[in-house]
Amino acid sequence: HAAAASVIALAMVPLCDGFSSGLRAPAPWATTTAHRCAASSLRMQAPAPNSGASRRLGGLFWALHSSFKASIEVVDSILYPDLRTGVTGSTKKELRGPLQPEFTKGLAAAIQEAALEEKLFASESELAEAEQLYVRKCVTFFPGAQDQLKVAGWDGGAVPWSTLWEGSEVLANMGLYARLHTISGRTPSPKSRLQFSQAVSRNVMKRGLVGAELDRYSTKDPRNDLLWLDGLKSLLASLQLAGYAVGTIGEGKYGKLDELEWREDGEASVQVFFYDYALIDAAQALAGEAQNDLAAALLPTQLIASLLRASNIQVSAEDFYIENTKNGYRPDGIVVQLNLQAA
Protein backbone atom coordinates (compact mmCIF):
# COMPACT_ATOMS: atom_id res chain seq x y z
CA HIS A 1 0.00 0.00 0.00
CA ALA A 2 2.92 2.35 0.68
CA ALA A 3 4.25 1.78 -2.83
CA ALA A 4 0.80 2.29 -4.27
CA ALA A 5 0.24 5.58 -2.51
CA SER A 6 3.74 6.72 -3.48
CA VAL A 7 3.19 6.50 -7.18
CA ILE A 8 -0.32 7.87 -7.14
CA ALA A 9 0.48 10.91 -5.04
CA LEU A 10 3.68 11.79 -6.93
CA ALA A 11 1.91 11.46 -10.26
CA MET A 12 -0.41 14.31 -9.25
CA VAL A 13 -0.40 17.42 -11.41
CA PRO A 14 -1.46 20.56 -9.56
CA LEU A 15 -4.71 22.07 -10.69
CA CYS A 16 -3.76 25.39 -9.19
CA ASP A 17 -0.97 27.77 -10.15
CA GLY A 18 0.00 28.68 -6.61
CA PHE A 19 -2.01 31.90 -6.69
CA SER A 20 -5.58 30.75 -7.21
CA SER A 21 -7.34 27.48 -6.53
CA GLY A 22 -8.96 25.32 -9.16
CA LEU A 23 -8.11 23.42 -12.28
CA ARG A 24 -5.45 24.27 -14.80
CA ALA A 25 -4.23 22.72 -18.00
CA PRO A 26 -0.84 20.94 -17.94
CA ALA A 27 2.22 23.01 -18.67
CA PRO A 28 3.53 22.35 -22.21
CA TRP A 29 6.87 21.16 -20.90
CA ALA A 30 5.35 18.66 -18.48
CA THR A 31 5.87 15.61 -20.68
CA THR A 32 7.45 13.17 -18.27
CA THR A 33 6.47 11.86 -14.89
CA ALA A 34 9.63 13.30 -13.34
CA HIS A 35 8.87 16.79 -14.63
CA ARG A 36 5.31 16.61 -13.46
CA CYS A 37 6.40 15.47 -10.01
CA ALA A 38 8.78 18.39 -9.77
CA ALA A 39 6.00 20.76 -10.75
CA SER A 40 3.70 19.26 -8.14
CA SER A 41 6.23 19.63 -5.33
CA LEU A 42 7.07 23.21 -6.31
CA ARG A 43 3.56 24.50 -6.90
CA MET A 44 1.55 22.79 -4.20
CA GLN A 45 0.32 25.20 -1.56
CA ALA A 46 1.23 23.79 1.84
CA PRO A 47 -0.20 24.64 5.24
CA ALA A 48 1.60 26.98 7.59
CA PRO A 49 5.22 25.82 8.18
CA ASN A 50 4.91 25.33 11.92
CA SER A 51 1.50 23.69 11.99
CA GLY A 52 0.91 20.05 12.82
CA ALA A 53 -0.71 19.63 9.41
CA SER A 54 2.46 20.94 7.75
CA ARG A 55 4.67 18.48 9.64
CA ARG A 56 2.44 15.57 8.72
CA LEU A 57 2.19 16.66 5.11
CA GLY A 58 5.94 17.14 4.81
CA GLY A 59 6.56 13.70 6.27
CA LEU A 60 4.01 12.24 3.92
CA PHE A 61 5.62 13.57 0.78
CA TRP A 62 9.12 12.63 1.95
CA ALA A 63 7.90 9.08 2.49
CA LEU A 64 6.26 9.09 -0.93
CA HIS A 65 9.40 10.40 -2.61
CA SER A 66 11.58 7.72 -1.04
CA SER A 67 9.62 4.90 -2.65
CA PHE A 68 8.78 6.54 -5.97
CA LYS A 69 10.55 3.84 -8.01
CA ALA A 70 7.53 1.57 -7.73
CA SER A 71 5.73 1.18 -11.06
CA ILE A 72 2.16 2.09 -11.87
CA GLU A 73 1.46 -1.62 -12.37
CA VAL A 74 2.41 -2.15 -8.73
CA VAL A 75 -0.07 0.56 -7.79
CA ASP A 76 -2.83 -1.23 -9.61
CA SER A 77 -1.99 -4.71 -8.37
CA ILE A 78 -1.81 -3.57 -4.74
CA LEU A 79 -4.89 -1.36 -4.71
CA TYR A 80 -7.08 -3.48 -6.93
CA PRO A 81 -5.53 -6.95 -7.30
CA ASP A 82 -8.76 -8.45 -8.65
CA LEU A 83 -9.03 -6.01 -11.55
CA ARG A 84 -5.60 -6.68 -13.07
CA THR A 85 -5.88 -3.82 -15.56
CA GLY A 86 -6.04 -1.46 -12.61
CA VAL A 87 -7.72 1.72 -11.57
CA THR A 88 -5.50 4.03 -13.60
CA GLY A 89 -5.39 2.09 -16.87
CA SER A 90 -7.49 2.93 -19.90
CA THR A 91 -8.78 -0.67 -20.08
CA LYS A 92 -9.90 -0.80 -16.47
CA LYS A 93 -13.18 -2.33 -15.42
CA GLU A 94 -15.91 0.05 -14.39
CA LEU A 95 -15.36 0.81 -10.72
CA ARG A 96 -18.42 3.02 -10.62
CA GLY A 97 -21.79 2.70 -12.27
CA PRO A 98 -22.78 4.77 -15.31
CA LEU A 99 -23.28 8.48 -14.84
CA GLN A 100 -26.89 8.80 -13.76
CA PRO A 101 -29.21 11.05 -15.83
CA GLU A 102 -30.88 12.35 -12.66
CA PHE A 103 -27.53 13.50 -11.33
CA THR A 104 -26.33 15.26 -14.49
CA LYS A 105 -29.71 16.87 -15.03
CA GLY A 106 -29.73 18.05 -11.42
CA LEU A 107 -26.16 19.34 -11.64
CA ALA A 108 -26.96 21.26 -14.82
CA ALA A 109 -29.99 22.77 -13.09
CA ALA A 110 -27.91 23.67 -10.01
CA ILE A 111 -25.47 25.52 -12.27
CA GLN A 112 -28.32 27.34 -14.00
CA GLU A 113 -29.88 28.31 -10.66
CA ALA A 114 -26.53 29.63 -9.40
CA ALA A 115 -26.16 31.81 -12.50
CA LEU A 116 -29.56 33.37 -11.80
CA GLU A 117 -29.00 33.69 -8.04
CA GLU A 118 -25.72 35.51 -8.64
CA LYS A 119 -27.54 37.74 -11.15
CA LEU A 120 -25.22 36.74 -13.98
CA PHE A 121 -28.22 36.34 -16.28
CA ALA A 122 -31.62 37.99 -16.04
CA SER A 123 -33.59 34.86 -16.86
CA GLU A 124 -33.40 31.20 -17.85
CA SER A 125 -34.25 32.15 -21.42
CA GLU A 126 -31.35 34.60 -21.63
CA LEU A 127 -28.90 31.93 -20.47
CA ALA A 128 -30.48 29.33 -22.78
CA GLU A 129 -30.14 31.61 -25.80
CA ALA A 130 -26.50 32.40 -25.02
CA GLU A 131 -25.46 28.81 -24.40
CA GLN A 132 -27.30 27.56 -27.50
CA LEU A 133 -25.14 29.85 -29.62
CA TYR A 134 -22.04 28.20 -28.18
CA VAL A 135 -23.00 24.54 -27.75
CA ARG A 136 -23.27 23.99 -31.50
CA LYS A 137 -19.62 24.97 -31.79
CA CYS A 138 -18.75 22.39 -29.11
CA VAL A 139 -20.06 19.34 -30.95
CA THR A 140 -16.72 18.64 -32.61
CA PHE A 141 -14.74 19.26 -29.40
CA PHE A 142 -15.97 16.05 -27.77
CA PRO A 143 -15.29 12.84 -29.75
CA GLY A 144 -18.48 10.92 -30.40
CA ALA A 145 -20.84 13.77 -29.51
CA GLN A 146 -21.87 14.53 -33.07
CA ASP A 147 -22.69 10.90 -33.86
CA GLN A 148 -24.67 10.47 -30.65
CA LEU A 149 -26.68 13.62 -31.33
CA LYS A 150 -27.47 12.48 -34.86
CA VAL A 151 -28.70 9.14 -33.52
CA ALA A 152 -30.98 11.12 -31.21
CA GLY A 153 -32.39 12.98 -34.22
CA TRP A 154 -30.27 16.12 -34.26
CA ASP A 155 -30.33 17.79 -37.69
CA GLY A 156 -27.49 20.25 -37.14
CA GLY A 157 -29.72 23.02 -35.84
CA ALA A 158 -30.50 23.83 -32.22
CA VAL A 159 -29.07 21.23 -29.85
CA PRO A 160 -31.86 19.62 -27.80
CA TRP A 161 -30.67 20.22 -24.23
CA SER A 162 -32.80 17.46 -22.72
CA THR A 163 -30.88 14.94 -24.84
CA LEU A 164 -27.61 15.92 -23.15
CA TRP A 165 -28.72 14.59 -19.76
CA GLU A 166 -30.15 11.23 -20.80
CA GLY A 167 -27.18 9.07 -19.84
CA SER A 168 -24.37 9.71 -22.32
CA GLU A 169 -21.20 10.79 -20.52
CA VAL A 170 -19.87 12.39 -23.70
CA LEU A 171 -22.97 14.56 -24.13
CA ALA A 172 -23.14 15.38 -20.42
CA ASN A 173 -19.54 16.60 -20.47
CA MET A 174 -20.24 18.66 -23.58
CA GLY A 175 -23.38 20.22 -22.11
CA LEU A 176 -21.83 21.08 -18.76
CA TYR A 177 -18.77 22.52 -20.45
CA ALA A 178 -20.89 24.66 -22.80
CA ARG A 179 -23.01 25.97 -19.93
CA LEU A 180 -20.03 26.90 -17.77
CA HIS A 181 -18.13 28.39 -20.71
CA THR A 182 -21.13 30.61 -21.44
CA ILE A 183 -21.36 31.69 -17.80
CA SER A 184 -17.62 32.42 -17.65
CA GLY A 185 -18.08 35.66 -19.58
CA ARG A 186 -20.18 37.01 -16.70
CA THR A 187 -17.73 36.13 -13.91
CA PRO A 188 -14.78 38.47 -14.44
CA SER A 189 -13.11 38.21 -11.02
CA PRO A 190 -11.80 35.35 -8.86
CA LYS A 191 -14.24 36.44 -6.15
CA SER A 192 -17.25 36.21 -8.46
CA ARG A 193 -16.16 32.77 -9.69
CA LEU A 194 -15.70 31.51 -6.13
CA GLN A 195 -19.13 32.79 -5.14
CA PHE A 196 -20.62 31.11 -8.17
CA SER A 197 -18.99 27.73 -7.42
CA GLN A 198 -20.14 27.94 -3.81
CA ALA A 199 -23.67 28.68 -5.00
CA VAL A 200 -23.56 25.59 -7.24
CA SER A 201 -22.47 23.50 -4.25
CA ARG A 202 -25.34 24.82 -2.12
CA ASN A 203 -27.83 24.03 -4.87
CA VAL A 204 -26.47 20.51 -5.29
CA MET A 205 -26.98 19.99 -1.57
CA LYS A 206 -30.48 21.49 -1.63
CA ARG A 207 -31.49 19.21 -4.49
CA GLY A 208 -30.38 16.13 -2.55
CA LEU A 209 -28.06 15.03 -5.36
CA VAL A 210 -25.49 13.77 -2.85
CA GLY A 211 -27.82 12.38 -0.21
CA ALA A 212 -30.88 13.92 1.35
CA GLU A 213 -29.81 13.58 5.00
CA LEU A 214 -26.26 14.92 5.17
CA ASP A 215 -27.36 17.43 7.82
CA ARG A 216 -27.66 14.63 10.34
CA TYR A 217 -23.88 14.18 10.26
CA SER A 218 -23.10 17.63 11.68
CA THR A 219 -21.70 17.93 15.19
CA LYS A 220 -20.72 20.75 17.55
CA ASP A 221 -17.72 18.83 18.89
CA PRO A 222 -15.80 17.59 15.84
CA ARG A 223 -12.66 16.64 17.80
CA ASN A 224 -14.40 14.03 19.93
CA ASP A 225 -17.42 13.23 17.80
CA LEU A 226 -16.38 11.87 14.40
CA LEU A 227 -19.89 11.92 13.03
CA TRP A 228 -18.61 14.33 10.35
CA LEU A 229 -16.24 11.61 9.11
CA ASP A 230 -19.22 9.30 8.63
CA GLY A 231 -20.85 12.15 6.71
CA LEU A 232 -17.85 12.40 4.41
CA LYS A 233 -18.01 8.67 3.75
CA SER A 234 -21.73 8.98 3.02
CA LEU A 235 -21.02 11.81 0.56
CA LEU A 236 -18.46 9.66 -1.28
CA ALA A 237 -20.89 6.74 -1.43
CA SER A 238 -23.61 8.97 -2.90
CA LEU A 239 -21.25 10.31 -5.56
CA GLN A 240 -20.26 6.78 -6.50
CA LEU A 241 -23.90 5.71 -6.80
CA ALA A 242 -24.49 8.73 -9.06
CA GLY A 243 -21.73 7.48 -11.36
CA TYR A 244 -19.65 10.57 -10.61
CA ALA A 245 -16.47 8.93 -9.32
CA VAL A 246 -15.13 6.35 -6.89
CA GLY A 247 -14.02 8.19 -3.76
CA THR A 248 -11.81 7.04 -0.93
CA ILE A 249 -10.36 8.80 2.12
CA GLY A 250 -6.63 8.19 1.84
CA GLU A 251 -4.81 5.31 0.19
CA GLY A 252 -3.08 2.60 2.15
CA LYS A 253 -1.63 4.22 5.26
CA TYR A 254 -1.30 7.67 3.70
CA GLY A 255 -3.80 10.50 3.61
CA LYS A 256 -6.20 9.10 6.20
CA LEU A 257 -7.32 10.86 9.35
CA ASP A 258 -5.02 10.31 12.32
CA GLU A 259 -7.77 10.17 14.91
CA LEU A 260 -5.46 10.34 17.92
CA GLU A 261 -3.68 13.49 16.72
CA TRP A 262 -6.99 15.01 15.64
CA ARG A 263 -8.46 14.55 19.12
CA GLU A 264 -5.34 15.88 20.81
CA ASP A 265 -4.37 18.76 18.50
CA GLY A 266 -7.56 19.54 16.59
CA GLU A 267 -5.53 19.60 13.36
CA ALA A 268 -5.31 17.13 10.51
CA SER A 269 -4.25 16.75 6.91
CA VAL A 270 -6.46 14.42 4.87
CA GLN A 271 -6.47 13.43 1.22
CA VAL A 272 -9.63 12.36 -0.60
CA PHE A 273 -9.05 10.46 -3.86
CA PHE A 274 -11.57 10.33 -6.71
CA TYR A 275 -10.94 7.70 -9.36
CA ASP A 276 -12.64 7.25 -12.72
CA TYR A 277 -13.99 10.81 -12.57
CA ALA A 278 -16.88 11.03 -15.05
CA LEU A 279 -16.67 14.78 -15.73
CA ILE A 280 -12.93 14.99 -16.35
CA ASP A 281 -13.35 16.02 -20.02
CA ALA A 282 -15.52 19.04 -19.21
CA ALA A 283 -13.18 20.10 -16.41
CA GLN A 284 -10.11 19.71 -18.63
CA ALA A 285 -11.72 21.70 -21.44
CA LEU A 286 -12.43 24.58 -19.06
CA ALA A 287 -8.91 24.39 -17.65
CA GLY A 288 -7.46 24.50 -21.15
CA GLU A 289 -9.24 27.82 -21.66
CA ALA A 290 -7.91 29.14 -18.35
CA GLN A 291 -11.43 28.99 -16.89
CA ASN A 292 -9.86 27.43 -13.83
CA ASP A 293 -12.17 28.71 -11.15
CA LEU A 294 -15.36 27.76 -12.99
CA ALA A 295 -14.21 24.18 -13.41
CA ALA A 296 -14.45 24.06 -9.62
CA ALA A 297 -18.23 23.97 -10.06
CA LEU A 298 -17.80 20.39 -11.34
CA LEU A 299 -15.49 19.28 -8.54
CA PRO A 300 -16.38 17.77 -5.14
CA THR A 301 -14.20 20.18 -3.16
CA GLN A 302 -16.88 22.73 -2.23
CA LEU A 303 -19.29 19.93 -1.28
CA ILE A 304 -16.70 18.46 1.08
CA ALA A 305 -15.82 21.85 2.54
CA SER A 306 -19.50 22.68 3.15
CA LEU A 307 -20.05 19.37 4.90
CA LEU A 308 -17.07 19.86 7.22
CA ARG A 309 -17.77 23.51 7.99
CA ALA A 310 -21.23 22.50 9.19
CA SER A 311 -19.38 20.64 11.96
CA ASN A 312 -17.29 23.62 13.12
CA ILE A 313 -14.23 22.56 11.14
CA GLN A 314 -12.11 25.17 9.39
CA VAL A 315 -11.07 23.89 5.97
CA SER A 316 -8.49 24.87 3.39
CA ALA A 317 -8.43 22.73 0.27
CA GLU A 318 -6.51 22.28 -2.97
CA ASP A 319 -7.37 20.13 -6.01
CA PHE A 320 -4.95 18.01 -8.04
CA TYR A 321 -5.30 15.70 -11.00
CA ILE A 322 -4.36 12.06 -10.69
CA GLU A 323 -2.61 11.20 -13.91
CA ASN A 324 -2.93 8.07 -16.00
CA THR A 325 0.76 7.40 -16.57
CA LYS A 326 0.16 4.41 -18.84
CA ASN A 327 -0.97 6.45 -21.82
CA GLY A 328 0.90 9.72 -21.67
CA TYR A 329 -0.84 12.68 -20.09
CA ARG A 330 -4.39 11.48 -19.55
CA PRO A 331 -5.68 12.30 -16.05
CA ASP A 332 -8.77 10.39 -15.03
CA GLY A 333 -9.10 11.32 -11.39
CA ILE A 334 -8.67 13.97 -8.72
CA VAL A 335 -7.25 14.18 -5.24
CA VAL A 336 -8.48 16.81 -2.81
CA GLN A 337 -5.93 17.86 -0.19
CA LEU A 338 -7.73 18.99 2.97
CA ASN A 339 -6.09 20.84 5.86
CA LEU A 340 -8.49 20.77 8.79
CA GLN A 341 -8.65 22.61 12.11
CA ALA A 342 -11.34 22.27 14.73
CA ALA A 343 -12.91 25.65 15.39
Side-chain angles (χ1 to χ4, degrees), residues 106-156:
L107 177 57
I111 292 171
Q112 181 187 66
E113 291 164 358
L116 298 178
E117 290 165 4
E118 296 298 310
K119 303 188 186 311
L120 304 178
F121 289 83
S123 64
E124 291 183 17
S125 59
E126 184 189 6
L127 173 58
E129 182 179 352
E131 61 190 6
Q132 186 63 236
L133 291 174
Y134 187 70
V135 72
R136 279 179 284 182
K137 301 176 183 179
C138 300
V139 172
T140 57
F141 296 176
F142 293 81
Q146 189 170 23
D147 291 339
Q148 291 185 28
L149 283 173
K150 286 181 177 178
V151 169
W154 182 57
D155 59 3

Side-chain angles (χ1 to χ4, degrees), residues 204-225:
V204 167
M205 290 281 199
K206 288 178 185 177
R207 285 178 162 270
L209 298 180
V210 289
E213 300 180 352
L214 284 178
D215 288 346
R216 67 189 179 93
Y217 292 105
S218 62
T219 176
K220 295 181 179 179
D221 184 15
R223 289 174 67 161
N224 297 302
D225 185 354

Side-chain angles (χ1 to χ4, degrees), residues 25-64:
W29 49 264
T31 57
T32 67
T33 301
H35 287 164
R36 284 186 289 267
C37 293
S40 179
S41 62
L42 287 171
R43 294 176 182 268
M44 181 171 176
Q45 184 176 345
N50 295 323
S51 68
S54 176
R55 292 192 297 272
R56 289 190 288 276
L57 187 58
L60 162 66
F61 279 95
W62 175 255
L64 298 182

